[in-house]
Amino acid sequence: MDTNLSGIREATMANPINKQQAIMLIMKGIQHDVRQYKQLHQLMVEQQESYLKFDGEALQELIAKQRPLIANLSRSAAKRSELMALLGLSQTKAGMATLLQALPEKLKKPMNEYWQTLELCIRSCHQLNQLNGQISASYSEMLQQVNNKQSYSSGNLMQL
């Protein structure tokens, strides 16, 4: 799926996207985002393990792998918002609920499930990101203490 927002603008100016196409793009985008968030979640779990193992090299690699996923997800959310606006819907949960409710019965249930899965993935990644942030702060603090270690002689220890 092309996540280039300018592509949507160009397509709507040169060859307008009809409502059915916009809905299909939103649905495909949600499915794509679920897969991307699951990948991001796995990388964040591995990131947490790397913090706990003090594996700085693995951390660097994992963060490098996360960046393009996060950028793709951000572009995808922006694209979804733009498509929702093209449909005359608000770019909110209520707007998505309206869209999902308007889908034909055969699409309504699976798309509701994908949307709920996406919301769950987003919350899960957000929570894991907060935890990793706390671990990162502790990790950085410990590294700073190690790098600034003071040598304690028996005389220094007696003064403590």
Side-chain angles (χ1 to χ4, degrees), residues 35-148:
R35 288 188 301 273
Q36 295 251 307
Y37 268 105
K38 286 181 178 182
Q39 289 175 0
L40 180 61
H41 187 273
Q42 181 58 42
L43 290 172
M44 293 172 83
V45 167
E46 291 174 26
Q47 178 183 2
Q48 188 176 90
E49 291 168 358
S50 294
Y51 278 125
L52 298 175
K53 292 177 183 175
F54 299 99
D55 189 345
E57 192 173 304
L59 280 169
Q60 296 288 336
E61 291 173 20
L62 290 164
I63 291 169
K65 288 179 182 178
Q66 289 175 23
R67 284 188 180 121
L69 280 173
I70 293 167
N72 287 342
L73 288 164
S74 178
R75 284 190 299 271
S76 183
K79 180 179 182 177
R80 188 168 31 258
S81 290
E82 189 168 324
L83 289 167
M84 295 286 288
L86 286 172
L87 293 171
L89 298 169
S90 66
Q91 295 86 47
T92 62
K93 276 184 140 180
M96 184 56 73
T98 300
L99 173 63
L100 293 172
Q101 193 60 35
L103 291 174
E105 285 303 316
K106 68 178 184 176
L107 295 176
K108 192 179 295 189
K109 184 178 178 189
M111 286 315 302
N112 260 317
E113 289 173 5
Y114 269 112
W115 181 248
Q116 289 173 359
T117 300
L118 179 60
E119 287 182 317
L120 181 64
C121 287
I122 291 169
R123 277 194 305 273
S124 179
C125 282
H126 179 73
Q127 290 170 346
L128 192 50
N129 188 51
Q130 286 183 319
L131 181 57
N132 282 355
Q134 292 169 349
I135 294 171
S136 174
S138 296
Y139 180 80
S140 295
E141 188 177 314
M142 284 189 291
L143 285 178
Q144 190 174 23
Q145 287 176 359
V146 168
N147 288 335
N148 295 329

